[in-house]
Amino acid sequence: MRREGVFEMNALSGFRPPHPVAGDERTVARHSVQVGGTIYAFCLAAPARLSRRAIGEALAGAVAELRAVDAAFSPYRQRSLTSALRRGELSADAYPPPLADIMYRCAALRLATDGWFDAWAVPGGFDPSGMVKGWAIDRAAVLLRAAGIDDYAITAGGDWLVRGTGPRGGAWRIGVADPDHPLRVLATVELTDGAVATSGYGAPVIDPHTGAPVRSTGPATVTGPTLCAADGYATALYAAGEAGLSWFPTADGYDALVVAGHPAARRPVAV
């Protein structure tokens, strides 16, 4: 992850038509959409050569991907792959590729977090919700890049995926808010390519070792190359608390930013 000058973006809401930025040959578009129970927000700084129609089509494709992932993996949808798996309607040799990929990623995170992220140890059976939102955003971002948009931020709740520079130039600056005091920032990070995931803002997190909801003293935030893995790590760190700091920093670039509502202490990379 490259870190450079600063651009701070506030919360996004509603749709704003693309507009050119003076002195910068890019067109900025902002859009938010609700998919399932989650509100996703986009901020794009597209090359000026892209037409408004092309930018709109890129956004539409990204949103369609978010909807497709929700339809495939939401445990609240009876026709989703997750629900079918829970009902025992899918055998291991017949998993569709997206489900097989998600299950592999969940198993890898379970191993990396000493079992604190465990998509199988939740009420009702397998539930990848602790990482699938990040996976959906990662996939939506691939479509933006395929359309020629390399400067963007996608956010949902406490999760962010950013690339390139913001509309005013410089890195995207992301603050982790204190849920009990929204005007208080627990930590900030400046990125031009990477993800920031925070657990502890929304639905209760289940302790996979006890089956009971986690009673944490504050949110947990993890940074890294992909939002999918950062999302899973943040869920696990929220459940484990400071004991989870032993996992970071990882060899593949994930690190703890906040734990139990406090900035995480920096630790050397294990060799």
Side-chain angles (χ1 to χ4, degrees):
M1 293 179 290
R2 292 180 293 120
R3 304 185 179 186
E4 48 192 51
V6 174
F7 171 78
E8 187 156 12
M9 190 172 79
N10 296 321
L12 302 174
S13 60
F15 173 76
R16 304 179 190 179
H19 64 275
V21 180
D24 187 354
E25 295 183 355
R26 297 184 298 171
T27 301
V28 175
R30 294 181 173 90
H31 181 58
S32 64
V33 62
Q34 182 167 343
V35 177
T38 302
I39 295 178
Y40 296 85
F42 295 79
C43 180
L44 316 181
R49 60 179 172 76
L50 290 182
S51 67
R52 292 191 176 194
R53 179 175 180 177
I55 295 171
E57 289 175 347
L59 273 170
V63 171
E65 185 65 20
L66 297 177
R67 294 191 188 281
V69 172
D70 180 69
F73 293 104
S74 172
Y76 304 107
R77 295 183 181 272
Q78 290 301 308
R79 299 180 64 181
S80 73
L81 294 173
T82 297
S83 295
L85 184 65
R86 287 178 160 199
R87 293 191 297 265
E89 297 172 2
L90 294 173
S91 60
D93 58 352
Y95 290 159
L99 178 59
D101 182 40
I102 283 292
M103 294 188 75
Y104 171 80
R105 292 172 184 268
C106 287
L109 258 294
R110 180 170 60 182
L111 182 63
T113 62
D114 303 318
W116 282 101
F117 180 93
D118 192 341
W120 290 266
V122 291
F126 179 73
D127 183 356
S129 298
M131 71 153 50
V132 79
K133 179 176 63 174
W135 188 74
I137 292 176
D138 286 338
R139 290 170 66 93
V142 170
L143 297 179
L144 295 180
R145 294 196 297 274
I149 301 171
D150 290 320
D151 301 294
Y152 56 76
I154 309 174
T155 178
D159 295 344
W160 294 74
L161 183 67
V162 303
R163 185 182 176 94
T165 58
R168 298 178 186 174
W172 304 89
R173 185 178 187 187
I174 300 162
V176 180
D178 184 338
D180 296 322
H181 305 281
L183 297 180
R184 177 174 173 243
V185 176
L186 300 174
T188 60
V189 62
E190 299 159 17
L191 301 174
T192 57
D193 190 3
V196 180
T198 299
S199 182
Y201 287 160
V205 172
I206 300 299
D207 183 332
H209 303 293
T210 66
V214 174
R215 294 185 177 181
S216 175
T217 56
T221 302
V222 172
T223 64
T226 72
L227 188 50
C228 175
D231 203 3
Y233 270 122
T235 300
L237 184 60
Y238 179 78
E242 292 189 359
L245 288 175
S246 62
W247 311 325
F248 304 103
T250 70
D252 51 351
Y254 296 90
D255 203 358
L257 182 66
V258 172
V259 61
H262 299 283
R266 303 293 90 188
R267 295 188 176 207
V269 178
V271 177

